[in-house]
């Protein structure tokens, strides 16, 4: 699939934009630094303008603003070079369609419904009453337990696990090793031990949700855990029971979201950000990597806190005072008070 | 199993407590907000008292203290409504017992011992000399390597992996994708490269331990890594080699515990808490989410530190000073000294 | 394999060093506290010198410096006792070689190349055009997709997944549940949704790389993600697309490295350390556990910052001031200014 060639005019015919220069044949997309004569590259950030001169790329995707600066080059001129680059890359690497068929080692329970258009890999297990849409790809070793519903063109990568009773919308993609629908962490203390609260809710992933590798989305305790349409979740993200994640939100790797937390739509959650449970984050909130989100956020904006980087020696010298900031504040207050007294005494003298 | 109905009097006959009002039939447990006429709900926290009035729940589990306030409602009056709710939920969703039988695609080495009461799913692998107790459920794609010992009614969820030589007590439950007994991270530097130290210990999980999805408990270097009875561990928790975790401790998702650290019994470890290695945490210690535990704790209590949440702009303005707290402290000291001198000079003048 | 005995003279003949005392037979390596008469132990840190007296170890590995203090004991005297201990441990637990053969339930696509010397476990899947070296061990449930190249003696533990097109050098070891080559997290915003950027690069793991359990190394967006020779990565480590990790670097559990970050050789990365993307860390840098690495590091050294541990009560009292450090700094400046004025006024009076 990657061996196809497209001329600039063919690319523009498919995706829009305007081409300039020579209508050369392109074999692949590459970054400016690596591109050669049959590659197309892109300039998204004007900061890297100088790299264009050094690039051997056969053609470059640029914005209208920048186009005139690169008169001698073959260009495709577009509004959003980064998005256009993504679309060109997709042209060269189209989404892989299901190769219809069930591998002889796959196990599909008799009450499951698997359309003939699906690709079911080696050692896959599909449980009873589970219903797959058209064109699903369930790859080697993946497990979809009983009573699940998968929309059309869902992709489950190797060794991922979908527990029973989960619902995945159209084109949902789950990467290797991820576990959808394991029990939430619900416990009641008996006075001497922990009694497990049955987790009887499910997980609902709406259309176009993508989940990275080794991520986990727990089933709800009584109602469902829900991820909204178009939300993209990276690797090793933990989403606790009964969380509600909005639409078109992105959550970077290693983030952890405690149970019953609601995150809005169009949020951007940085890697390793951690959320306590039972809070609400409004739409269009950006959370920086590594930030501990300890209370609800009602105002969209960019929230980001982390302990600043230092050498260990510097840190040791400074960190000791963090434990005494309250006293430090009192000492400053005392100084202010004393100075005020001195000044007023001076004034009285005058 | 979830289709059974119980009347209030039947529930009380099973679980104790006192019912009031009408002896209605209950189909399920639901939270106050979602419950309808054939649901039972609960009020555990008096803070949510007002929600009871708004709830359509057919019956409500309440404490003795609160019971008289809800005269018109059908109630079950108990000492601990949250624990009672958990028990009622379990009544409606009993623990799933093994459906005895070995799936034809499962591979059990001839020297393994698997009682006829066990449920062995599709594509399961059980290694040589491994011994299972009665009524174990080893679900699709799970791997239990050689020389393991599993107690009665152990549940291993899909695609989890138990390395060789691990011991799991009765009713231990391991969720999907978890890896028990991988090599600890032991390395000796040769001067130019890292020499791997063989990890020849095992992992011992005592009775009633539960491990969430995609968690890891490494095997010991020479002796075992041990998790005590009744301890509950959430998803994506990392426990390094030779750790000793006590009994009835709970560890929330994304926590990481470095090698050789000892954690006591009845501890509560918040999500994403991180522990350095070779330290000891005493019984009944609570660690807040995201806390870095950098030294031993000998006094039970609630430890919790994390960088407070702010907007990125506010953070940038403040964080720069953290790197200079030591200087800030010196400046305050200097001010105090100067003021003292001024004051003593003034005094001398009087 | 562990049942072999070695006398002190045999050990020294294999591994060098000098033995003293009686040439006793050794059955295993054990720490000082656990060792009995047929065990050999070691003293690496002079701090634990006193433990030697209490140890029942039959023999002890010590440095030249310490040897004379333990005149009455059976010793092996070496330059680096810890490394020597590791080598002795390896003598008792040699690296397990492949038991040649393909399990009848394994699926190997006809175009894959699997030498007869390889061990292919139950329910393994090996995709088309994938080429394995001699003596590889691919254990139960592991998946190696199409177009991969594995060097000699690679070990893939149960249920690990290698996506298509990855290259693993000689003796690379991947532990259970790890996912190598899943898609990087590359998205372009369309104005209303996220467009996925095809991830067409691969992953290259050079010789002697080891990856712990449930770790992830994403494939590159266009070029490869690369881990250099001899680098050792612990459990649950996330390495984003296009990262370049140097040689002989160690990365402890739960660390996360965002896309396109370069880490040098001989670095030591502590557990749960988090790196933003597109930065460079120079060779021989040590990063403490839990440190947020937010910018490039060009000077080798020990960097380590984290919020210091306190009780929740103390933290609450102090943390509030972190949000106001900038104001606190202004107040100190004001005090300094005022005092200066007072002092200069006083001076003028004199």
């Amino acid at each position: 699939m990657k061996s196809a060639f497209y001329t600039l005019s063919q690319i523009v015919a498919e995706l829009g934009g305007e081409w300039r220069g020579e209508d050369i044949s392109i074999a692949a997309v590459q970054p400016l630094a690596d591109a050669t004569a049959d590659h197309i590259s892109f300039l998204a950030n004007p900061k890297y303008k100088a790299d264009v001169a050094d690039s051997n790329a056969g053609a470059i995707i640029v914005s209208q603003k920048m186009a005139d600066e690169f008169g001698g080059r073959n260009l495709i001129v577009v509004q959003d070079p980064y998005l256009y680059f993504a679309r060109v890359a997709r042209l060269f690497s189209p989404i892989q369609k299901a190769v219809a068929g069930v591998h002889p080692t796959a196990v599909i329970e008799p009450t499951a419904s698997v359309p003939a258009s699906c690709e079911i890999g080696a050692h896959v297990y599909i449980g009873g009453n589970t219903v797959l849409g058209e064109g699903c790809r369930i790859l080697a070793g993946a497990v979809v337990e009983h009573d699940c519903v998968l929309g059309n063109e869902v992709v489950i990568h190797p060794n991922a696990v979908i527990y029973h009773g989960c619902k995945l919308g159209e084109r949902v993609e789950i990467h290797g090793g991820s576990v959808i629908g394991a029990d939430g962490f619900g416990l009641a203390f008996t006075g001497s031990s922990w009694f497990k609260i049955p987790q009887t809710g499910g997980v609902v992933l709406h259309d176009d949700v993508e989940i990275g590798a080794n991520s986990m989305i727990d089933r709800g305790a009584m109602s469902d855990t829900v991820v909204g349409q178009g939300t993209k979740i990276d690797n090793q993200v933990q989403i606790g029971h009964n969380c509600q994640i909005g639409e078109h939100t992105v959550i970077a790797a290693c983030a952890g979201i405690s149970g019953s937390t609601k995150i809005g739509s169009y949020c951007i959650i940085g890697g390793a950000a951690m959320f306590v449970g039972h809070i609400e984050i409004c739409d269009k909130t950006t959370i920086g990597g590594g930030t501990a989100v300890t209370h609800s956020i009602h105002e969209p904006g960019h929230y980001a806190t982390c302990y600043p980087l230092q050498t260990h020696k510097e840190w040791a010298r400074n960190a000791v005072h963090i434990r005494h900031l309250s006293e430090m504040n009192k000492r400053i207050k005392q100084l202010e008070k004393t100075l005020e007294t001195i000044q007023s005494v001076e004034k009285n003298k005058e």
Side-chain angles (χ1 to χ4, degrees), chain A residues 204-219:
Chain A
V204 177
L205 307 180
H206 285 288
D207 295 351
D208 299 301
V209 164
E210 182 167 352
I211 310 280
N214 280 340
S215 284
M216 297 129 287
I217 302 184
D218 277 354
R219 64 193 314 110

Side-chain angles (χ1 to χ4, degrees), chain A residues 183-200 221 241:
Chain A
D183 286 345
F185 200 56
L187 302 162
F189 194 57
T190 67
S192 63
S193 66
W194 295 94
F195 187 91
K196 177 172 177 166
I197 298 166
Q199 304 290 304
T200 59
H241 56 177

Side-chain angles (χ1 to χ4, degrees), chain A residues 4 33 88 113 200 253 257 307 319 327 341:
Chain A
V88 176
S113 164
T200 59
I257 302 170
Y307 201 100
E327 289 170 42
T341 313

Side-chain angles (χ1 to χ4, degrees), chain A residues 10-181:
Chain A
Q10 286 171 331
I11 293 172
V12 163
E14 283 279 343
L15 303 175
E18 177 204 340
W19 67 272
R20 299 189 190 170
E22 215 181 319
D23 189 20
I24 61 166
S25 259
I26 298 294
V29 175
Q30 282 294 330
L32 285 168
D34 302 338
T36 57
D38 61 351
H39 292 152
I40 190 164
S41 196
F42 67 100
L43 177 68
N45 189 336
K47 196 167 89 177
Y48 299 114
K49 209 165 65 177
D51 297 354
V52 173
D54 298 337
S55 175
N56 296 318
I60 299 165
I61 304 164
V62 296
S63 67
Q64 257 113 4
K65 247 191 228 172
M66 312 290 298
D68 294 341
E69 303 195 31
F70 306 114
R73 316 274 315 219
N74 306 315
L75 303 176
I76 296 183
V77 183
V78 299
Q79 228 177 347
D80 181 342
Y82 189 63
L83 176 59
Y84 195 92
F85 137 73
R87 291 198 202 273
V88 176
R90 182 54 79 205
L91 204 64
F92 285 100
S93 300
I95 288 173
Q96 204 173 325
K97 295 286 173 190
V99 178
V102 176
H103 195 278
T105 59
V107 172
I108 301 176
E109 296 291 352
T111 55
S113 164
V114 175
S117 59
C118 291
E119 172 181 352
I120 309 296
H123 309 121
V124 162
Y125 175 77
I126 296 179
N129 298 315
T130 281
V131 177
L132 270 63
E134 297 289 338
C136 288
R137 304 178 65 216
I138 315 296
L139 302 179
V143 171
V144 184
E145 290 192 336
H146 59 89
D147 295 298
C148 291
V149 178
L150 278 60
N152 297 327
E153 299 181 25
V154 164
V155 182
I156 313 282
H157 287 271
N159 286 346
V161 177
I162 318 294
Y163 275 53
H164 62 277
C166 294
K167 289 190 184 65
L168 281 60
E170 318 250 315
R171 296 170 302 278
V172 164
E173 182 166 6
I174 310 287
H175 281 279
S178 280
V179 178
I180 310 301

